[in-house]
Amino acid sequence: MEMNQAIIIAIGAVVITYFVHMIFSSSASKPSAPPTALDPSKKIPFKLIEKENISHDTRRFRFALQSPNHVLGLPIGQHMYLSAVIDGSLVVRPYTPVSSNDDVGYFDLVIKIYFKNVHPKFPDGGKMSQYLESLKIGDTIDVRGPSGKVTYLGQGKLSIKESPKKDAVIKTIKKLGLIAGGTGITPMLQIIRAVLKDPSDNTELSLLFANQTENDILLRDHLEEIAKEHPNVKVWYTLDRPPADWQYSSGFINDDMIRERMPAPGPDTQVLICGPPPMIKYACLPNLEKLDFKESMYFAF
């Protein structure tokens, strides 16, 4: 009897030891998540390590994260705030990087520099863009985030949070229309890249990109390369002041452009809009409503 109890205890000890070993081995074998760089509760300085001239007024800025192992930690579709004291005043502007959490140790911003004395309506130019232009390698910029109302979760799922007081709404769609104006292209590009990164994500993407002139089109070569390689991505442009040989649309976004270039309204369709407030208020929203898009089918951010 005592021998049987001893055998049972010994077997039990072996079994327990085995399962404990398996648990710890499994935990040890799982790679730990990389540390994230952003903190929504405070500003963090990031050092400029590269600066590339893309065109006469467009730059790519690369900033180093806290370590070569860090990722930015910005959800797809969201933005972060850059801040600096410029001419004695605090200036804060939202930006979305063109890099993603797949890029380790750095983030990239592609920014159009609005120089002073170029645009008659804005003789002082852009305060933050000119400040970034003045940065030298080794200088830092303060960043806080993430922030934003739209997050792409993958597989056609969108999280839309209209206000801090409301719960986020999760939508699953098959067709995603993207209307961008100027620098509003950067969060759209993040969403496009996220869809294309997953071979099993069959979301259809349609981009309508509005700018003033042909030279203002950010990342055009990259967008057209994407559209050429991926049949589920369609890209179209409209310009306020097009050249004589322009082959795309001209003028402000209207109902014809939306009808021809965006997915039709329906339960599987969502249109996201990012750009200057006048474009959203006077060109996009009225024409979407005119084409029978329900309010739940479009969202501006």
Side-chain angles (χ1 to χ4, degrees), residues 2-20:
E2 291 180 358
M3 183 174 292
N4 289 340
Q5 287 180 341
I7 292 172
I8 292 171
I9 292 172
I11 292 172
V14 170
V15 171
I16 292 172
T17 302
Y18 171 77
F19 279 109
V20 169

Side-chain angles (χ1 to χ4, degrees), residues 44-146:
I44 298 175
F46 294 106
K47 184 184 296 185
L48 180 66
I49 56 174
E50 284 184 25
K51 184 177 176 180
E52 176 188 2
N53 291 344
I54 294 177
S55 72
H56 70 287
D57 62 356
T58 304
R59 311 285 183 262
R60 179 184 63 83
F61 300 93
R62 175 164 292 184
F63 293 89
L65 302 180
Q66 291 92 328
S67 80
N69 299 319
H70 273 72
V71 297
L72 185 59
L74 188 72
I76 301 299
Q78 296 201 7
H79 59 264
M80 54 195 189
Y81 289 99
L82 274 61
S83 61
V85 176
I86 303 172
D87 297 329
S89 300
L90 179 65
V91 177
V92 182
R93 296 287 187 272
Y95 287 98
T96 301
V98 295
S99 53
S100 71
N101 290 333
D102 293 331
D103 300 302
V104 182
Y106 69 88
F107 69 87
D108 286 345
L109 295 173
V110 171
I111 294 175
K112 181 178 174 64
I113 312 300
Y114 292 95
F115 294 103
K116 62 182 180 180
N117 301 321
V118 173
H119 300 280
K121 291 184 179 179
F122 307 100
D124 295 333
K127 291 184 178 181
M128 181 59 77
S129 65
Q130 290 181 98
Y131 179 80
L132 289 167
E133 172 75 347
S134 73
L135 293 181
K136 297 178 177 59
I137 301 300
D139 290 344
T140 62
I141 188 73
D142 287 340
V143 180
R144 180 177 59 81

